[in-house]
């Protein structure tokens, strides 16, 4: 009935600590529900509304903290005062008023709160459906003036960036580039940007003869296909498309005069010329189209092969890996632990597998052959995932001299 003041609180709580053995269970229950803890602003709080802390805390501007000394704090702890709010309590408060959190903490401390939520996301599973539609996630976007603006947005409006080129072209609301935050954003419903880009490529006229650089590129890919498809331990990569082996074995290279690429994100569309693209010409034979006189960039080659081979792909990482495997000497790959000897026992067979590579391109033509022309205007120009998924590839011709990795 007569709660203490802030200045007198320590003495009162220390006294009650010394007499706690005299308090009944009913008295403890009453204390847990009573507003008897004084705050600096004159308010009184229940034990569940405040927290104990001797140090400056990241949540200090949001939650009420008290410190009446070691002995008094022990009494308050027995009444139900906790040292820190739980991650569920933080999430509920944040969900109710995210702008209040952002204003009180500032962007960097607010991001730290989101990181703590991400690290403890398993404890928030029951709250995720309620958090998803709330505009509490930090996102960034370039303004018309070229300045980066930071806003709070809901998960459905934010993209996780896995391709910086697409980011520059479309400028969507973007998740912070943070490996701790990205899984949390994804769990709430944020989308990976690459998965939602619809890409259409239209190769131009086929020109020949196939340059020596492109012919050697085909030989190189055939020689190292098993290194591309397997990890350091010799195991098939887990995220490969189920037909990856056949797709890579049947890959052909075609030299063209131009390639037009169209990219679409929602209602936005961008058009540009590109130096190479990979398409399925006749549903089972992929072709890597490369513009004549293009200086081979192995990262670009890796990027196109990653789209072809991986069912799910972190494109930059996979492209970089493929580029490394193609342009690093076998001696250095062997030194780095790659099972070179296991997969490259028969280079003659590897060369034989691409001896027909680009034969059509060696003949001067006034335009692409009918099958290619159809492919540049028909289904082959749909997004690659739509072309590859669900295609029942026919079995490859029997080649005793070729070694095909087993598929688990």
């Amino acid at each position: 009935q007569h709660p203490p003041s802030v200045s007198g609180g320590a003495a009162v709580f220390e006294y009650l600590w010394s007499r706690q053995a005299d308090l009944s269970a009913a008295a403890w229950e009453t204390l847990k529900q009573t507003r008897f803890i004084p705050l600096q602003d004159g308010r009184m709080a229940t034990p569940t509304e405040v927290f104990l802390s001797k140090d400056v805390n990241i949540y200090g501007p949001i939650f009420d903290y008290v410190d009446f000394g070691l002995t008094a704090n022990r009494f308050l702890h027995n009444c139900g005062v906790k040292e820190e709010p739980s991650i569920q309590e933080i999430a509920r408060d944040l969900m109710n008023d995210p702008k209040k959190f952002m204003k009180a903490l500032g962007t960097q401390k607010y991001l730290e709160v989101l990181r703590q939520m991400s690290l403890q996301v398993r404890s928030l599973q029951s709250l995720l459906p309620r958090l998803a539609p709330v505009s509490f996630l930090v996102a960034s976007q370039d303004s018309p003036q070229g300045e980066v603006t930071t806003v709070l947005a809901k998960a459905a409006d934010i993209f996780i960036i896995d391709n910086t080129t697409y980011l520059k072209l479309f400028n969507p609301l973007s998740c912070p580039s943070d490996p701790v935050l990205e899984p949390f954003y994804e769990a709430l419903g944020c989308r990976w940007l690459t998965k939602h880009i619809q890409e259409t490529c239209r190769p131009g006229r086929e020109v020949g003869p196939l340059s020596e650089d492109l012919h050697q590129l085909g030989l190189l890919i055939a020689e190292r296909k098993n290194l591309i498809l397997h990890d350091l331990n010799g195991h098939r990569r887990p995220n490969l498309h189920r037909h990856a082996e056949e797709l890579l074995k049947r890959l052909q290279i075609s030299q063209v005069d131009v390639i037009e690429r169209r990219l679409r994100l929602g209602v936005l569309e961008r058009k540009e010329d590109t130096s190479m693209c990979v398409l399925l010409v006749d549903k089972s034979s992929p072709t890597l189209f490369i513009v004549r006189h293009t200086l081979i960039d192995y990262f670009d080659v890796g990027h196109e092969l990653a789209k072809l081979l991986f069912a799910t792909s972190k494109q930059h990482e996979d492209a970089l890996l493929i580029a490394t495997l193609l342009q690093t000497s076998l001696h250095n790959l062997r030194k780095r632990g790659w099972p070179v000897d296991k997969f490259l026992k028969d280079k003659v067979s590897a060369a034989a597998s691409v001896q027909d590579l680009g034969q059509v391109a060696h003949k001067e033509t006034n335009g692409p052959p009918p099958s290619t022309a159809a492919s540049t205007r028909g289904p082959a120009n749909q997004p690659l995932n739509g072309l590859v998924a669900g295609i029942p590839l026919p079995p490859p011709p029997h080649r005793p001299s070729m070694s095909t990795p087993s598929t688990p």
Side-chain angles (χ1 to χ4, degrees):
Q1 294 181 356
H2 303 286
S5 62
V6 173
S7 58
V12 172
F13 299 149
E14 287 175 3
Y15 171 74
L16 290 173
W17 168 258
S18 69
R19 298 295 302 274
Q20 62 177 336
D22 299 329
L23 296 177
S24 65
W28 285 112
E29 286 299 320
T30 300
L31 286 170
K32 289 179 181 180
Q33 303 173 35
T34 301
R35 295 183 181 277
F36 70 92
I37 304 173
L39 303 178
Q40 293 291 344
D41 61 3
R43 292 181 296 126
M44 306 299 289
T46 68
T48 59
E49 295 173 336
V50 297
F51 302 92
L52 299 172
S53 178
K54 292 184 178 180
D55 303 317
V56 176
N57 189 284
I58 185 175
Y59 304 115
I62 302 298
F63 298 100
D64 291 312
Y65 285 82
V66 295
D67 181 14
F68 293 98
L70 181 61
T71 302
N73 286 351
R74 287 175 177 172
F75 169 73
L76 293 177
H77 179 75
N78 285 352
C79 291
V81 179
K82 298 188 297 185
E83 293 188 3
E84 293 290 345
S86 68
I87 198 65
Q88 293 88 347
E89 290 170 323
I90 293 168
R92 290 190 188 97
D93 272 47
L94 179 59
M95 182 170 51
N96 291 334
D97 197 347
K99 291 183 178 179
K100 170 188 171 184
F101 264 70
M102 176 63 88
K103 182 177 180 180
L105 299 180
T107 302
Q108 293 308 312
K109 288 185 177 180
Y110 188 95
L111 283 170
E112 185 57 36
V113 173
L114 295 183
R115 291 188 188 96
Q116 292 301 317
M117 293 173 68
S118 179
L119 292 172
Q120 301 180 63
V121 68
R122 290 186 178 181
S123 301
L124 296 174
Q125 290 299 318
S126 62
L127 288 176
L128 291 183
R130 294 172 56 192
L131 284 167
V134 177
S135 296
F136 80 99
L137 294 174
V138 174
S140 61
Q141 189 175 41
D142 289 345
S143 69
Q145 294 74 32
E147 299 177 353
V148 178
T149 59
T150 300
V151 298
L152 295 178
K154 62 180 181 290
D157 295 335
I158 301 173
F159 287 94
I160 305 171
I161 305 305
D162 54 351
N163 187 306
T164 54
T165 300
Y166 294 162
L167 172 63
K168 293 176 182 177
L169 285 173
F170 292 101
N171 189 31
L173 276 175
S174 305
C175 165
S177 180
D178 187 323
V180 175
L181 289 176
E182 287 176 356
F184 182 52
Y185 277 55
E186 185 176 15
L188 287 164
C190 293
R191 298 164 290 170
W192 289 90
L193 180 58
T194 299
K195 290 182 179 179
H196 291 270
I197 296 290
Q198 295 180 352
E199 179 176 337
T200 303
C201 287
R202 293 182 178 273
R205 182 173 61 91
E206 191 173 26
V207 294
L210 193 68
S211 71
E212 181 62 21
D213 285 347
L214 298 191
H215 183 69
Q216 291 300 321
L217 175 62
L219 292 173
L220 185 63
I221 293 173
E223 177 191 62
R224 304 192 179 189
K225 66 180 185 299
N226 284 327
L227 290 174
I228 293 172
L229 297 171
H230 296 79
D231 60 22
L232 276 167
N233 296 318
H235 300 144
R236 187 182 192 270
R237 298 188 187 283
N239 56 336
L240 284 173
H241 188 276
R242 59 177 176 158
H243 297 308
E245 287 83 359
E246 286 304 315
L247 290 170
L248 191 53
K249 183 184 294 184
R250 299 180 182 201
L251 180 71
Q252 299 183 47
I253 294 181
S254 178
Q255 184 174 263
V256 295
D257 59 350
V258 68
I259 299 174
E260 179 188 88
R261 182 170 72 158
R262 294 186 179 183
L263 301 169
R264 179 183 292 273
L265 177 63
V267 298
L268 300 176
E269 183 175 280
R270 303 287 185 264
K271 185 195 308 184
E272 62 179 7
D273 288 339
T274 187
S275 61
M276 66 179 68
C277 70
V278 65
L279 295 172
L280 285 171
V281 174
D282 59 2
K283 294 187 178 181
S284 62
S285 296
T287 299
L288 179 61
F289 293 94
I290 302 180
V291 174
R292 178 174 52 182
H293 304 316
T294 294
L295 183 64
I296 300 299
D297 184 321
Y298 284 98
F299 184 83
D300 289 343
V301 174
H303 180 75
E304 295 302 319
L305 292 182
K307 291 193 294 184
L308 175 70
L309 300 174
F310 291 94
T312 58
S313 173
K314 292 186 176 180
Q315 289 192 2
H316 279 282
E317 294 178 13
D318 294 328
L320 182 59
L321 173 62
I322 294 174
T324 300
L325 292 173
L326 290 177
Q327 64 186 354
T328 304
S329 70
L330 296 179
H331 173 72
N332 286 335
L333 287 175
R334 189 180 289 109
K335 285 174 58 178
R336 296 176 186 177
W338 286 93
V340 172
D341 297 326
K342 176 179 179 180
F343 290 134
L344 302 182
K345 292 178 180 178
D346 193 350
K347 294 183 181 179
V348 175
S349 295
S353 69
V354 291
Q355 67 181 25
D356 297 329
L357 185 70
Q359 284 185 350
V360 177
H362 279 279
K363 300 178 181 179
E364 291 289 347
T365 62
N366 294 324
S371 62
T372 305
S375 72
T376 61
R377 298 173 177 81
N381 290 284
Q382 299 172 7
L384 188 60
N385 288 341
L387 291 166
V388 176
I391 294 174
L393 293 179
H398 179 62
R399 294 175 180 165
S401 61
M402 293 292 289
S403 60
T404 302
S406 61
T407 302

